Each structure stands twice: as C-alpha cells, then as structure tokens.
Amino acid sequence: MSAATTEQRRFATLLAPATVIVVAGLVLPLLLMARYSLNRFEPGQFMVEALTFGNYVKIISDPYYRRIAVTTVTMAFTATAICLVVGFPVASAIARAPARWKTALLLLVILPLFVGNAVRAAGWMVALGQKGLLNWILLRLGIVSEPAAFMYTWGAVCAGIVSVNLPYVVLTLQSVLEGTEKSAVDAAQSLGATPFTTWRLVTLPLAMPGVVAAGLLSFILAMNAYATPVLLGGPTFQMMAPSVADQVLQQSNWPLGAALAFTLTAITLILTATVSFTLARTHAGA
Amino acid sequence: MAGIRIESLAKRYNAVSAVDGVTLDVRDGEFLVLLGPSGCGKTTTLRMIAGFVAPSEGCVRIGARDVTHEPPYRRNIGLVFQNYALFPHLTVEENVAFGLRRRRVGEAAIRTRVATALSRVKLDGFGGRYPRAMSGGQQQRVAIARAIVIEPDVLLLDEPLSNLDAQLRHDVRGELRRLQTELGITTIMVTHDQDEAMSVADRLAVMEKGQVRQVGTPSEIYRRPADRFVASFVGRANFYAGRAERGIFVTASGLRLPVADLAEGADTLMIRPEAVGLRPAGADGLAATVETATYLGAGWELELRLAGGERLSVVAPDAGEHWRQGQILTAHVAPTAGVGMRTGS
Ligand SMILES: Nc1ncnc2c1ncn2[C@@H]1O[C@H](COP(=O)(O)OP(=O)(O)O)[C@@H](O)[C@H]1O
Ligand SMILES: [Mg+2]
C-alpha cells in the first residue's frame, strides 16, 4: 500500500514538467480559442464578447465553407490511400532487404524529411510550372503540344501531400512488417497458398495494425496540411488549415478562424475515431 | 505418399557452401532424421526440399516427380517449424483448415478433417482458441495438425522440439513418432540433439560442414560410426591412433587389440566407454590402473590408464564392486567393441 503510494508519487514528480508544458502550451491556447470561437466578429470592431454558435452555424450552412471541408476530407482520404498503396510495397521491400542494405534504404526514406514542407513545395513548383521540368519532358517527347497546367490543380496538391506523407507511412509500415514472422509466410506457402493469396490472407492481416497507424498518421497530416495547398494549390484552391490562417491573418476574423480550427479538429477526430473503432471491431479476434 | 530422392544437392551463398553435395534416399513411409551441429546445413537442405531455397546444383524428387523447379505451394509438403509459425490472427480451427481451403475442399469435409486432425494431436475442443492462448507444446501440436491434415506427400520438421522444455520435448517426440507410424507418412526431421534423433529415427543422416558423413539406422551409426566426427557426435568415444595389421589394431604405444571387420588402412580405433568389460586384475585383457572412479547410481564412470600410457574412459553398470582410485584391474575389449576408421577422410 505504502509502496504503491511512493511509486505513484515518483510517477507524479516525473510527469510534472511535461504536464506544465502541455497545460501552458496546448490546453490554455485551446481554451482561449474555444472561447474566441463563441465571440462575434464586427467588421471594424475586431472581436465582440459574446456567447453565440453563430460562427459554427455559418460554417455548416455556408456552401463556401462546406465545399472547403469536403475538399479537405476528400484530399486527405485520396492522399492517404495513395500513400498506403505506394508505401506498402516499398516498406515490404525494405523489411525483406538484406541487413547490410537496410540502413541505406531507410536513410533514403528519411532523407526527404530533412527538407521542410515549404522548401519541398517550392521544388514541386519548379517541377510542375509552365516552364517546369515535367512540361519540358512532355514537350520534348511530343506528348503535349503546348505546356499543360499542372500547377494550381487538385492533382498538384495531392502529389505534394503524398510526397510529404510518404516517408512517415513507409517508416510506420516497415517497422510493423519487420516484426511479423517470416515463417508464417513460409507456412502459408507450404500449405498451398500462392504468393498473392499468402499476401492477402497472412501478410496483410498481420500488417493491419501498421496499415491503420500509417493511414491515420497520413490522414491527420493531410487534413492539417498548410504549406502544400497554399503553394501548389494557389489562391483559388481552398483547404481548411489555410482558410483558418486566412481568417485570422488576412480578415482579422478571430472568432470565425477559431471556429474553423475547431471544426477541422472535430472532423479529424470523428473520422479518426470512427475508422479506428470500426477496424478494432472487425479485427477484434486478432 | 512417396519417397524422397535428393541428388548432389548443393547451395552456395557467394563463396560459402551451406550445403555441399548431399545425396539421400528416403524410402516411402520412412522417418529420416538429419542430425548435425548447428550451421552444418540441415535447415538449408530442408528448405531446398520444401522449395524455399533454390539449389545451386542437384535435384529433388518426390515420388516420381522432379520438383526441383516447383514453387513451395505446388509441392504438397507438410512443414513444421521450430517457432510453430501459426497464423496468430486465425483460430486453431482456421489454422488447420488453411491448407484444405487452398485445396478447395468442401466445408463439410473441412470440418470433419480438421476435427480428426485435432483429435490425432489430442487437441479436441481447442478449435475455437487463438494460438496465443495456448502453451508452446499445444501450439506445436496445432502446427503438426495443420501440416498433416493436408495429407502431404512428405512431412518436413525443422527442430520442432527445441523450443519446448525437457519433459514436453520427451512427450511430443513420442507423439510425433506414434503419429508418423500411424499415418505412414515419409518424414524428414532436422535436429542437433542426438538423443532426440536416435529415439525417433528409422534412419539417421549425420551431417557436417554441408555434407552427409554417414547414413544408417541409429544402432549402425552408434556402433559402427564411419568416422571420428560421427562417433563423437552421437555419443562418447575413446580414440587411439595406430595401424591395422591383419585383424589386429596396433596402437602407437604398441598395444595389440584384435578387432572384428578391421579394414586395412584404418589409422584410428574407436571404443565406446560402455563396450569395455571390467575384470579383476590378472584376467585376460588389458592391465589398467583406475585414475578416477565416479559412482552414478546406475553405474560407474571410470578413467583408466593402460599399460602403454593411453587413457580409457569406461562406463560400467553397477555390479556390486567398489572401484577405487589406484586400483589395478583388467579392461576387456571384445573384438566387436572396437571400430577401425580412417581419419582425415
Ligand atoms: N541466406 C543465407 N545467406 C548466407 N548464408 C547462409 C544463409 N542461410 C544459411 N547460411 C549459412 O549456411 C550455413 C548452414 O546454415 P543452416 O542450413 O541454417 O544450418 P543448420 O540448420 O544446420 O544450423 C551456415 O553457415 C549459415 O551461416
Ligand atoms: Mg537450422
């Protein structure tokens, strides 16, 4: 009994600094923002103290904001799906690679993370622009007769987000695939399962926790993407994180910005929780 | 069911030879054990038979079929691994049914065959469990059920008992042998444990450094080992350098021992410790002095020094004598007790 209390006290002491930082750096601003989101915005007067859900009602009822939300969710789902489909074979290959190559391969995956999102997006701008690398190649090969518009499209933003998220997805999947038993795969084949059947019935189900983790990570990152949609999507392409910044920085509309931020967080949380819960139930046996 | 024939099978990894020209004939229904120290190429040989490792040379035949270039999933082989390799996301029943589903067996037949297989390994009623809710011994029995339920042409087991504790290992190896006899399925088991090998095998193939040193029944291997390596791997042995002279082995110090079936050219004599008889001093045999005497309950373990200075380890049953250090006695080595062999071969 007294031992347990001592243990608990030591635990509390260890956790105290982190708790202070989390409360000061995360909880307080969030509470402040929550409060702001219930205020009213009067042009010229900046922010008027109030207790109204008007901002939220506006976000839900205004087709302009609804479209932004739909674009954001669709983008996050698509980019995540692409990341998983592209990332899985890469992660499998790394997991199966001989030990002496593994470090080099992992370094290759991590390398892009050394370059910030904004810098990378700038790189994509060079590659995808009117006079960019891609157009130059397509023109040279005669596939197009005049430069195609890649920049400021949905596809450009999607490619950008995929390139940002892919290393995280590959690393997460690789660490899970690394831990799964190679001999279960051999067992499946000895029992008559072709390589594809083995993948479908053994490799994939065993990797499912990793797929879920990688998918959620990518989804959350994509939902909150800022630099990529701004730089590659241009002024007319709207996603939620940039629109929060736009309300706060450009329109000085803190209440609406705060409400948008909470809506973004809520959508992310609800979708994440739904997916996790559903998968946890279908895989309850494993 | 079918026999297995592997011919000049070899596997090289870069410059390293993991398996170096193995030829083996396993008869239909036979239980053959590949025995050898760790790293001698047993697993690689087994994985070439199963189809997971492509041979650098040689071929594998199962029955009349040359399967050298067949992928594992078309070889109809039952495989049991050291670490069980069950599917953790499937129940015991689904694990066992896995191979039957791949063979498109009907659901009703699957149910009865799975139940039969589980009852063969004494796991009736465990079908709904997940592997992680079972002990190591139970998991290994599920793995065995999963391998035999598909009625494979051959059953391959790679150190199937080495993750189990001593008592369980003893039990499971007994069950394994019983099951193999009941089903009459051609079986190759790999192990580095000579007790295990001796106790289950119809025949043993002793491997060293990627090559088979000797193939034979457990008693042939034990009594008439082909070389020094085999002799010391399957039990304890005394070795003496010397030469063969028309049925007599003459040791370096000049001791002359009659040996039955002594091949000319033999340069080493092997004598098993328990093949030596102990008699009172002065009897017919080799005069010896007891250097150490250890009583083990069931018998004695003696270290003797012979007249020529050689040492002789002896294991003798307890017949009421009390051996003491310094005691003089006679060691009797029957002509059939010694085995001449050529070293450096
Ligand atoms: N994939 C591989 N790459 C390189 N060397 C290997 C590989 N597999 C096995 N070996 C080598 O081949 C030899 C035999 O290995 P193995 O067949 O596993 O022996 P055993 O099962 O008898 O312990 C060992 O020296 C091992 O290091
Ligand atoms: Mg091995």
mmCIF file of all heavy atoms in Angstrom, chain B residues 167-185:
data_model
loop_
_atom_site.group_PDB
_atom_site.id
_atom_site.type_symbol
_atom_site.label_atom_id
_atom_site.label_comp_id
_atom_site.label_asym_id
_atom_site.label_seq_id
_atom_site.Cartn_x
_atom_site.Cartn_y
_atom_site.Cartn_z
ATOM 1 N N GLN B 167 10.661 -32.062 -20.420
ATOM 2 C CA GLN B 167 9.629 -33.080 -20.259
ATOM 3 C C GLN B 167 8.717 -33.121 -21.485
ATOM 4 O O GLN B 167 8.424 -34.175 -22.043
ATOM 5 C CB GLN B 167 8.799 -32.791 -18.996
ATOM 6 C CG GLN B 167 7.708 -33.811 -18.735
ATOM 7 C CD GLN B 167 8.254 -35.221 -18.620
ATOM 8 O OE1 GLN B 167 9.262 -35.462 -17.956
ATOM 9 N NE2 GLN B 167 7.622 -36.168 -19.298
ATOM 10 N N LEU B 168 8.325 -31.895 -21.911
ATOM 11 C CA LEU B 168 7.421 -31.755 -23.045
ATOM 12 C C LEU B 168 8.072 -32.289 -24.319
ATOM 13 O O LEU B 168 7.432 -32.946 -25.136
ATOM 14 C CB LEU B 168 7.090 -30.275 -23.205
ATOM 15 C CG LEU B 168 5.737 -29.946 -23.784
ATOM 16 C CD1 LEU B 168 4.662 -30.634 -22.970
ATOM 17 C CD2 LEU B 168 5.538 -28.447 -23.762
ATOM 18 N N ARG B 169 9.367 -32.000 -24.454
ATOM 19 C CA ARG B 169 10.113 -32.443 -25.622
ATOM 20 C C ARG B 169 10.034 -33.963 -25.712
ATOM 21 O O ARG B 169 9.809 -34.532 -26.770
ATOM 22 C CB ARG B 169 11.569 -32.001 -25.459
ATOM 23 C CG ARG B 169 12.317 -31.976 -26.744
ATOM 24 C CD ARG B 169 13.712 -31.454 -26.546
ATOM 25 N NE ARG B 169 13.739 -30.275 -25.678
ATOM 26 C CZ ARG B 169 14.868 -29.767 -25.189
ATOM 27 N NH1 ARG B 169 16.021 -30.329 -25.455
ATOM 28 N NH2 ARG B 169 14.825 -28.691 -24.427
ATOM 29 N N HIS B 170 10.175 -34.594 -24.571
ATOM 30 C CA HIS B 170 10.127 -36.044 -24.500
ATOM 31 C C HIS B 170 8.749 -36.546 -24.919
ATOM 32 O O HIS B 170 8.621 -37.468 -25.725
ATOM 33 C CB HIS B 170 10.455 -36.466 -23.067
ATOM 34 C CG HIS B 170 10.751 -37.909 -22.947
ATOM 35 N ND1 HIS B 170 9.781 -38.836 -22.685
ATOM 36 C CD2 HIS B 170 11.912 -38.594 -23.071
ATOM 37 C CE1 HIS B 170 10.325 -40.029 -22.657
ATOM 38 N NE2 HIS B 170 11.618 -39.913 -22.883
ATOM 39 N N ASP B 171 7.694 -35.901 -24.385
ATOM 40 C CA ASP B 171 6.326 -36.328 -24.708
ATOM 41 C C ASP B 171 6.005 -36.114 -26.174
ATOM 42 O O ASP B 171 5.499 -37.013 -26.847
ATOM 43 C CB ASP B 171 5.308 -35.536 -23.866
ATOM 44 C CG ASP B 171 5.472 -35.832 -22.387
ATOM 45 O OD1 ASP B 171 6.194 -36.796 -22.059
ATOM 46 O OD2 ASP B 171 4.882 -35.092 -21.570
ATOM 47 N N VAL B 172 6.298 -34.887 -26.667
ATOM 48 C CA VAL B 172 5.911 -34.553 -28.035
ATOM 49 C C VAL B 172 6.661 -35.431 -29.036
ATOM 50 O O VAL B 172 6.111 -35.839 -30.047
ATOM 51 C CB VAL B 172 6.128 -33.050 -28.345
ATOM 52 C CG1 VAL B 172 5.769 -32.747 -29.797
ATOM 53 C CG2 VAL B 172 5.285 -32.192 -27.418
ATOM 54 N N ARG B 173 7.929 -35.761 -28.729
ATOM 55 C CA ARG B 173 8.659 -36.586 -29.695
ATOM 56 C C ARG B 173 8.072 -37.990 -29.753
ATOM 57 O O ARG B 173 8.010 -38.592 -30.822
ATOM 58 C CB ARG B 173 10.151 -36.582 -29.393
ATOM 59 C CG ARG B 173 10.632 -37.665 -28.454
ATOM 60 C CD ARG B 173 12.110 -37.506 -28.199
ATOM 61 N NE ARG B 173 12.576 -38.536 -27.286
ATOM 62 C CZ ARG B 173 13.704 -38.450 -26.583
ATOM 63 N NH1 ARG B 173 14.456 -37.373 -26.687
ATOM 64 N NH2 ARG B 173 14.057 -39.421 -25.789
ATOM 65 N N GLY B 174 7.559 -38.464 -28.619
ATOM 66 C CA GLY B 174 6.883 -39.755 -28.620
ATOM 67 C C GLY B 174 5.618 -39.717 -29.461
ATOM 68 O O GLY B 174 5.374 -40.602 -30.283
ATOM 69 N N GLU B 175 4.845 -38.644 -29.269
ATOM 70 C CA GLU B 175 3.606 -38.493 -30.042
ATOM 71 C C GLU B 175 3.888 -38.383 -31.528
ATOM 72 O O GLU B 175 3.163 -38.919 -32.359
ATOM 73 C CB GLU B 175 2.872 -37.221 -29.596
ATOM 74 C CG GLU B 175 2.076 -37.406 -28.316
ATOM 75 C CD GLU B 175 1.362 -36.128 -27.952
ATOM 76 O OE1 GLU B 175 0.834 -35.468 -28.869
ATOM 77 O OE2 GLU B 175 1.353 -35.780 -26.760
ATOM 78 N N LEU B 176 4.969 -37.636 -31.826
ATOM 79 C CA LEU B 176 5.344 -37.425 -33.217
ATOM 80 C C LEU B 176 5.636 -38.761 -33.894
ATOM 81 O O LEU B 176 5.168 -39.044 -34.994
ATOM 82 C CB LEU B 176 6.592 -36.545 -33.233
ATOM 83 C CG LEU B 176 6.904 -35.777 -34.493
ATOM 84 C CD1 LEU B 176 5.726 -34.887 -34.858
ATOM 85 C CD2 LEU B 176 8.149 -34.934 -34.271
ATOM 86 N N ARG B 177 6.413 -39.600 -33.186
ATOM 87 C CA ARG B 177 6.797 -40.888 -33.744
ATOM 88 C C ARG B 177 5.553 -41.775 -33.925
ATOM 89 O O ARG B 177 5.376 -42.424 -34.946
ATOM 90 C CB ARG B 177 7.827 -41.563 -32.833
ATOM 91 C CG ARG B 177 8.283 -42.928 -33.271
ATOM 92 C CD ARG B 177 9.108 -42.846 -34.549
ATOM 93 N NE ARG B 177 8.523 -43.643 -35.624
ATOM 94 C CZ ARG B 177 9.235 -44.232 -36.579
ATOM 95 N NH1 ARG B 177 10.550 -44.115 -36.602
ATOM 96 N NH2 ARG B 177 8.647 -44.919 -37.517
ATOM 97 N N ARG B 178 4.670 -41.756 -32.921
ATOM 98 C CA ARG B 178 3.451 -42.567 -32.983
ATOM 99 C C ARG B 178 2.596 -42.134 -34.178
ATOM 100 O O ARG B 178 2.143 -42.947 -34.983
ATOM 101 C CB ARG B 178 2.665 -42.382 -31.677
ATOM 102 C CG ARG B 178 1.294 -43.027 -31.658
ATOM 103 C CD ARG B 178 0.520 -42.704 -30.392
ATOM 104 N NE ARG B 178 0.394 -41.277 -30.095
ATOM 105 C CZ ARG B 178 -0.459 -40.465 -30.708
ATOM 106 N NH1 ARG B 178 -1.258 -40.911 -31.648
ATOM 107 N NH2 ARG B 178 -0.514 -39.190 -30.384
ATOM 108 N N LEU B 179 2.434 -40.811 -34.308
ATOM 109 C CA LEU B 179 1.627 -40.240 -35.385
ATOM 110 C C LEU B 179 2.198 -40.614 -36.746
ATOM 111 O O LEU B 179 1.475 -41.000 -37.662
ATOM 112 C CB LEU B 179 1.650 -38.713 -35.218
ATOM 113 C CG LEU B 179 0.525 -37.933 -35.821
ATOM 114 C CD1 LEU B 179 -0.781 -38.350 -35.175
ATOM 115 C CD2 LEU B 179 0.762 -36.453 -35.576
ATOM 116 N N GLN B 180 3.533 -40.514 -36.855
ATOM 117 C CA GLN B 180 4.200 -40.797 -38.121
ATOM 118 C C GLN B 180 3.985 -42.258 -38.504
ATOM 119 O O GLN B 180 3.724 -42.575 -39.652
ATOM 120 C CB GLN B 180 5.689 -40.478 -37.997
ATOM 121 C CG GLN B 180 6.424 -40.411 -39.326
ATOM 122 C CD GLN B 180 6.945 -41.768 -39.771
ATOM 123 O OE1 GLN B 180 7.052 -42.691 -38.971
ATOM 124 N NE2 GLN B 180 7.247 -41.878 -41.055
ATOM 125 N N THR B 181 4.062 -43.145 -37.514
ATOM 126 C CA THR B 181 3.863 -44.566 -37.787
ATOM 127 C C THR B 181 2.419 -44.827 -38.203
ATOM 128 O O THR B 181 2.159 -45.534 -39.171
ATOM 129 C CB THR B 181 4.205 -45.398 -36.536
ATOM 130 O OG1 THR B 181 5.466 -44.943 -36.044
ATOM 131 C CG2 THR B 181 4.286 -46.867 -36.853
ATOM 132 N N GLU B 182 1.468 -44.211 -37.469
ATOM 133 C CA GLU B 182 0.047 -44.390 -37.797
ATOM 134 C C GLU B 182 -0.266 -43.952 -39.218
ATOM 135 O O GLU B 182 -0.975 -44.625 -39.947
ATOM 136 C CB GLU B 182 -0.802 -43.521 -36.862
ATOM 137 C CG GLU B 182 -1.230 -44.205 -35.584
ATOM 138 C CD GLU B 182 -1.910 -43.213 -34.659
ATOM 139 O OE1 GLU B 182 -2.536 -42.247 -35.155
ATOM 140 O OE2 GLU B 182 -1.792 -43.396 -33.446
ATOM 141 N N LEU B 183 0.275 -42.777 -39.601
ATOM 142 C CA LEU B 183 -0.061 -42.215 -40.901
ATOM 143 C C LEU B 183 0.827 -42.775 -42.001
ATOM 144 O O LEU B 183 0.510 -42.664 -43.181
ATOM 145 C CB LEU B 183 0.081 -40.688 -40.871
ATOM 146 C CG LEU B 183 -0.820 -39.956 -39.880
ATOM 147 C CD1 LEU B 183 -0.453 -38.494 -39.803
ATOM 148 C CD2 LEU B 183 -2.278 -40.118 -40.275
ATOM 149 N N GLY B 184 1.961 -43.349 -41.630
ATOM 150 C CA GLY B 184 2.889 -43.906 -42.612
ATOM 151 C C GLY B 184 3.418 -42.874 -43.577
ATOM 152 O O GLY B 184 3.666 -43.150 -44.755
ATOM 153 N N ILE B 185 3.611 -41.659 -43.074
ATOM 154 C CA ILE B 185 3.985 -40.569 -43.960
ATOM 155 C C ILE B 185 5.504 -40.398 -43.988
ATOM 156 O O ILE B 185 6.156 -40.412 -42.947
ATOM 157 C CB ILE B 185 3.284 -39.274 -43.494
ATOM 158 C CG1 ILE B 185 3.603 -38.115 -44.392
ATOM 159 C CG2 ILE B 185 3.640 -38.926 -42.072
ATOM 160 C CD1 ILE B 185 2.708 -36.929 -44.079
#
